[in-house]
């Protein structure tokens, strides 16, 4: 059952993440001609990382990429295979207030992908998946290559370490895409905007409240709140405080 691990790690009474259809994993309601979807979710959890997800056989194959994708073919970005996610996870952006993955999820890129191999399952088994992406930020040809386990690789991590590599093509180059295009592909917001939208109670006079003693705010992990707050305070330094309870102005109208 492809989504067992996904569901085992989460309490859906406490997380806004989609539980996924019980039949997920079956090939259903899908036009055979529609190319499969991919997305990259920028996930501010205990550590910032980027989750690359490729739709295949009714689920999203998933890799956590700590440094994010690079358009530079010389970069080999560590990509740790994680549990398959339900297909509708590809539309998720929001705050996970507690539990597994607690933090803020931003939909950083999305689009479709095309395998450059005849048999995706065989390529995964072999540990060498070549594919192309057609997203807003990521395009062109890529490879995921599994790293051979070292003798000291922990049992739970065995077979999970891959490298994400951009092939040299029209879409490769020295630009730092994570730096150049850091915001949400759906809302154009940053983490603080997502936080303010999902949890307006965290906002006091245009600034983030601290988690301590603030009702639902306390449900967020201290670490994530502090991390988000640091970013927000740095961004808002030049901005006057706003009336209590208001969410901050959109970035476009803020001072740089
Ligand atoms: Mn993640």
């Amino acid at each position: 059952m492809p989504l067992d691990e996904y569901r085992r790690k989460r309490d859906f009474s406490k997380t806004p993440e989609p539980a996924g259809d019980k039949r997920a994993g079956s090939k259903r309601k899908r036009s055979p001609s529609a190319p499969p979807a991919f997305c990259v979710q920028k996930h501010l959890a205990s550590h910032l990382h980027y989750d690359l997800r490729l739709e295949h056989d009714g689920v999203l194959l998933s890799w956590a990429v700590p440094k994010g994708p690079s358009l530079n073919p010389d970069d080999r970005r560590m990509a740790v295979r994680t549990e398959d996610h339900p297909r509708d996870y590809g539309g998720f952006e929001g705050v996970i207030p507690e539990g597994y993955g607690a933090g803020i999820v931003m939909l950083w890129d999305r689009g479709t992908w095309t395998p450059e191999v005849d048999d995706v399952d065989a390529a995964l088994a072999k540990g060498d998946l070549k594919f192309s992406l057609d997203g807003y930020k990521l395009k062109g040809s890529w490879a995921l290559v599994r790293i051979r386990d070292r003798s000291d690789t922990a049992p739970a991590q065995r077979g999970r370490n891959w490298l994400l590599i951009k092939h040299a093509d029209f879409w490769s180059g020295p630009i730092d895409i994570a730096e150049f295009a850091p915001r949400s592909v759906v809302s154009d917001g940053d983490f603080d905007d997502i936080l303010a939208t999902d949890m307006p109670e965290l906002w006091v006079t245009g600034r983030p409240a601290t988690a301590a003693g603030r009702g639902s705010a306390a449900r967020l992990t201290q670490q994530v709140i502090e991390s988000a707050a640091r970013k927000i305070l740095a961004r808002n330094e030049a901005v006057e405080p706003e009336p209590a309870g208001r969410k901050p102005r959109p970035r476009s109208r803020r001072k740089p």
Side-chain angles (χ1 to χ4, degrees):
M1 294 295 278
L3 293 178
D4 283 356
E5 185 180 354
Y6 174 83
R7 295 200 177 102
R8 182 158 39 78
K9 287 178 169 173
R10 290 166 177 81
D11 177 350
F12 294 104
S13 68
K14 293 185 175 159
T15 178
E17 296 166 289
D21 191 290
K22 291 290 179 230
R23 291 164 299 158
S26 63
K27 295 165 192 167
R28 72 195 158 83
K29 283 191 294 185
R30 221 178 184 306
S31 150
S33 61
F38 92 95
C39 74
V40 176
Q41 279 149 327
K42 188 174 169 183
H43 187 182
L44 180 64
S46 50
H47 296 90
L48 177 69
H49 60 274
Y50 295 71
D51 291 303
L52 168 66
R53 310 194 195 280
L54 305 175
E55 181 188 2
H56 177 61
D57 274 356
V59 298
L60 300 177
L61 310 174
S62 297
W63 287 262
V65 185
K67 290 186 173 177
S70 171
L71 304 189
N72 185 344
D74 293 334
D75 289 338
R76 298 145 69 87
R77 290 288 160 87
M78 178 63 78
V80 180
R81 182 90 187 263
T82 55
E83 73 275 17
D84 294 345
H85 278 49
R87 207 164 63 195
D88 48 359
Y89 203 96
F92 177 71
E93 175 170 283
V95 176
I96 303 172
E98 60 183 307
Y100 183 73
I104 307 171
V105 176
M106 174 202 295
L107 199 45
W108 183 77
D109 197 15
R110 67 175 173 187
T112 58
W113 76 286
T114 307
E116 293 177 356
V117 295
D118 291 333
D119 183 337
V120 170
D121 293 311
L124 290 169
K126 188 180 163 205
D128 184 0
L129 176 63
K130 293 179 172 62
F131 58 99
S132 62
L133 297 177
D134 187 8
Y136 291 91
K137 300 174 185 177
L138 305 182
K139 292 177 182 293
S141 184
W142 298 74
L144 276 161
V145 181
R146 191 168 53 227
I147 307 171
R148 197 167 301 197
D149 290 319
R150 301 182 344 173
S151 56
D152 60 350
T153 304
Q157 283 307 111
R158 290 199 169 268
R160 288 187 171 250
N161 292 331
W162 298 59
L163 296 171
L164 176 65
I165 304 164
K166 179 81 192 77
H167 289 142
D169 62 14
F170 181 80
W171 302 105
S172 61
I175 187 171
D176 182 340
I177 189 67
E179 186 78 20
F180 178 75
R183 302 165 74 85
S184 165
V185 75
V186 286
S187 65
D188 196 39
D190 207 337
F191 285 123
D192 56 339
D193 302 302
I194 297 167
L195 192 62
T197 301
D198 264 28
M199 300 195 140
E201 70 275 18
L202 293 182
W203 294 86
V204 177
T205 62
R207 292 181 154 229
T210 58
R214 286 214 160 263
S216 58
R219 304 202 319 262
L220 275 180
T221 65
Q222 187 75 27
Q223 194 170 19
V224 167
I225 267 291
E226 285 173 359
S227 174
R230 270 197 302 276
K231 286 165 60 85
I232 295 160
L233 290 173
R235 167 113 46 92
N236 286 0
E237 257 169 8
V239 180
E240 277 95 12
E242 299 207 344
R246 291 267 316 272
K247 63 173 282 199
R249 284 168 288 175
R251 178 82 192 281
S252 56
R253 282 185 280 135
R254 285 183 209 166
K255 291 170 193 169

